[in-house]
Amino acid sequence: MKRVKVSNNVIRRLPRYLRKLDELTEAGVSRISSGELGRQLGLTPSQIRQDFSCFGEFGQQGYGYKVTALRAEIASILGMDRGYSAVLIGVGNLGQALLCNFSFKTWGFDLKAAFDIKPQLIGTDYEGVKIHDMATLPQYLSENKVDAAVLCVPKSHAVATTELLTSHGVNAIWNFTNVELTAPESSTIVENIHFSDSLLSLSYYISEDNDEKAARAARMNK
Amino acid sequence: MKRVKVSNNVIRRLPRYLRKLDELTEAGVSRISSGELGRQLGLTPSQIRQDFSCFGEFGQQGYGYKVTALRAEIASILGMDRGYSAVLIGVGNLGQALLCNFSFKTWGFDLKAAFDIKPQLIGTDYEGVKIHDMATLPQYLSENKVDAAVLCVPKSHAVATTELLTSHGVNAIWNFTNVELTAPESSTIVENIHFSDSLLSLSYYISEDNDEKAARAARMNK
């Protein structure tokens, strides 16, 4: 596939399209227009057509999109069919929640191993993923190709663990530590789940909503 | 404070500024220029000045920003000083991870109670937050003002729980269920943590990087 440089905003919308298409498939919908897809996602039809046009032509004018074909195309664009491998570092509460509840396989990743320092965890397994001694990570990485690391270690270990991973050839990190792991110019690919950023955005929108309601009430009382 | 309509992209950057300013405070930095702040965040100085100008004037030309004052302003804009209350619904692995590891208080939220259906959880507490019987949620909401709910229930219960919450006056949801909870036109404020969207973005960037490397290698071999 020919790849063109696509804006981050488009890339961020692709997983949403994928989720929606999965929902439609489950509901037995086999074909959908850009108008209806837009309505369900809160986007304009032209926005949707423009997003998809970045990657080639999927739909047919006046005919709509075939749900399974479009789903397969987006999955392929996202690299879900490339068989990436991953390891998880730090099996605390959050690491355990990911191991037990998050289906890496569904999203194209083979989670091969997890690592922790706690003796009582080492050698056990969660949903078929074995927990290894953190001390054996360098050796593991030298013997196994690992495309991405899921980083769930405490804040204080985040940067050192990242350096260990990148120095052993891991070039992509799914970061749950709430620490900015690398300098902006770094070549390591970091995707952050910043819980606090998300909660603060919620806080902002609640505040905005409250202020609007208060302003409306003040106008009514004038 | 006078509130102007601010773009989502700016709002999304505010928590990042806040984290960076906390980091600077910890490192003993009391003043920073927009140039240096930009360098550390991978943004241009003019981008930063433009973001802050949405909310008024913080800096002084040629003098930079006072870290603690700017931090306080951004915290206030985000509503961190408004004392919002929250409840958490669904104390599975992820709910437990949030209760044990995530400091709601740090980000301005008072997490007052959690709810679950499992008898062995009800009546216990995690880090001082008591787990109540899910059946008592409607009564709790009628007796207590709750600004936001943290939704960690299984997918299959996501929409019904949302309806229960909104019908009892909860207008904001921090959504961990990976389900689109409301129609686009709904007045409920929903902030999503979509783990899979984030992982798929990582997958995209790994794929892009691999393709670029392959293309470079192909050119070298010509």
Side-chain angles (χ1 to χ4, degrees):
Chain A
M1 191 184 56
K2 197 167 146 279
R3 220 167 243 285
V4 287
K5 200 80 186 168
V6 176
S7 88
N8 283 333
N9 284 338
V10 177
I11 294 159
R12 296 283 155 188
R13 278 194 289 273
L14 292 179
R16 255 188 94 199
Y17 290 128
L18 191 95
R19 272 189 287 116
K20 175 51 78 180
L21 293 166
D22 282 345
E23 231 181 273
L24 292 169
T25 304
E26 241 174 80
V29 178
S30 61
R31 196 174 290 281
I32 192 163
S33 67
S34 53
E36 177 56 23
L37 192 57
R39 202 194 57 74
Q40 294 194 21
L41 288 165
L43 299 167
T44 66
S46 77
Q47 175 72 82
I48 286 179
R49 283 193 296 265
Q50 203 180 318
D51 282 359
F52 294 166
S53 74
C54 295
F55 302 99
E57 287 302 320
F58 292 137
Q60 238 177 291
Q61 193 71 36
Y63 192 69
Y65 298 105
K66 226 187 135 198
V67 170
T68 50
L70 181 57
R71 201 271 180 200
E73 277 295 341
I74 293 179
S76 165
I77 290 162
L78 288 168
M80 289 170 73
D81 50 3
R82 296 193 181 202
Y84 292 131
S85 60
V87 294
L88 185 146
I89 319 285
V91 189
N93 286 307
L94 180 67
Q96 285 176 29
L98 287 170
L99 287 171
C100 296
N101 299 2
F102 185 78
S103 173
F104 285 87
K105 195 153 284 174
T106 302
W107 311 107
F109 280 78
D110 185 7
L111 186 63
K112 289 194 173 290
F115 293 84
D116 203 283
I117 54 168
K118 283 199 210 77
Q120 64 270 34
L121 285 173
I122 295 162
T124 64
D125 77 272
Y126 284 79
E127 305 286 328
V129 178
K130 203 177 148 196
I131 318 298
H132 299 254
D133 186 342
M134 188 64 191
T136 66
L137 179 61
Q139 197 195 332
Y140 184 93
L141 294 176
S142 69
E143 290 168 1
N144 297 275
K145 188 183 171 309
V146 171
D147 296 299
V150 185
L151 198 63
C152 303
V153 299
K155 258 178 163 22
S156 53
H157 291 66
V159 172
T161 310
T162 302
E163 283 166 5
L164 180 68
L165 286 163
T166 55
S167 70
H168 286 82
V170 179
N171 193 36
I173 292 176
W174 198 20
N175 175 28
F176 287 84
T177 67
N178 210 29
V179 172
E180 302 264 345
L181 290 183
T182 53
E185 63 274 15
S186 160
S187 69
T188 304
I189 301 163
V190 179
E191 171 67 28
N192 300 296
I193 295 263
H194 282 307
F195 290 105
S196 63
D197 287 20
S198 173
L199 184 62
L200 288 178
S201 297
L202 186 72
S203 176
Y204 178 88
Y205 291 116
I206 296 173
S207 306
E208 185 183 58
D209 190 54
N210 287 348
D211 288 355
E212 277 169 11
K213 280 175 184 154
R216 251 200 316 275
R219 278 197 305 275
M220 300 277 278
N221 289 334
K222 252 183 200 161
Chain B
M1 190 185 54
K2 195 167 147 281
R3 218 167 245 285
V4 286
K5 201 78 188 173
V6 176
S7 87
N8 283 333
N9 284 339
V10 177
I11 294 159
R12 297 282 155 188
R13 277 194 290 273
L14 291 178
R16 253 188 96 198
Y17 289 129
L18 191 96
R19 272 189 286 117
K20 174 52 74 180
L21 293 166
D22 281 346
E23 230 183 273
L24 291 168
T25 304
E26 239 173 80
V29 178
S30 63
R31 197 173 290 282
I32 191 162
S33 66
S34 52
E36 178 56 21
L37 192 55
R39 202 195 55 75
Q40 294 193 21
L41 289 165
L43 299 167
T44 66
S46 77
Q47 175 72 82
I48 286 179
R49 283 192 298 265
Q50 203 181 321
D51 282 358
F52 294 166
S53 74
C54 295
F55 303 98
E57 285 303 320
F58 293 137
Q60 240 178 290
Q61 194 70 38
Y63 193 67
Y65 298 105
K66 228 188 134 196
V67 170
T68 51
L70 182 57
R71 201 270 181 201
E73 278 293 341
I74 293 179
S76 165
I77 290 163
L78 288 169
M80 288 171 71
D81 51 1
R82 296 191 179 204
Y84 292 131
S85 60
V87 294
L88 185 145
I89 319 285
V91 190
N93 286 308
L94 180 67
Q96 285 177 30
L98 287 170
L99 287 171
C100 295
N101 299 2
F102 186 78
S103 173
F104 286 87
K105 195 153 283 173
T106 303
W107 311 108
F109 280 77
D110 185 6
L111 186 63
K112 288 195 173 289
F115 293 83
D116 203 283
I117 53 167
K118 282 201 209 75
Q120 64 270 33
L121 286 172
I122 295 163
T124 64
D125 77 271
Y126 284 79
E127 305 287 325
V129 178
K130 203 177 148 197
I131 319 297
H132 299 254
D133 186 343
M134 188 65 193
T136 66
L137 179 61
Q139 197 194 333
Y140 184 93
L141 293 176
S142 69
E143 291 168 1
N144 299 275
K145 188 182 170 310
V146 171
D147 296 298
V150 184
L151 199 63
C152 303
V153 299
K155 257 177 161 30
S156 53
H157 291 66
V159 171
T161 310
T162 302
E163 283 166 4
L164 180 70
L165 287 161
T166 54
S167 70
H168 286 81
V170 179
N171 193 36
I173 293 175
W174 197 20
N175 176 28
F176 287 84
T177 67
N178 210 27
V179 171
E180 301 266 345
L181 290 183
T182 55
E185 64 273 17
S186 160
S187 69
T188 304
I189 301 163
V190 179
E191 171 67 27
N192 300 296
I193 296 261
H194 282 306
F195 290 105
S196 62
D197 287 21
S198 173
L199 183 61
L200 288 178
S201 297
L202 186 71
S203 176
Y204 178 88
Y205 292 115
I206 297 172
S207 305
E208 186 181 58
D209 190 53
N210 287 348
D211 288 356
E212 278 169 12
K213 280 176 186 156
R216 252 200 315 274
R219 277 198 304 275
M220 299 278 277
N221 289 334
K222 255 182 202 165

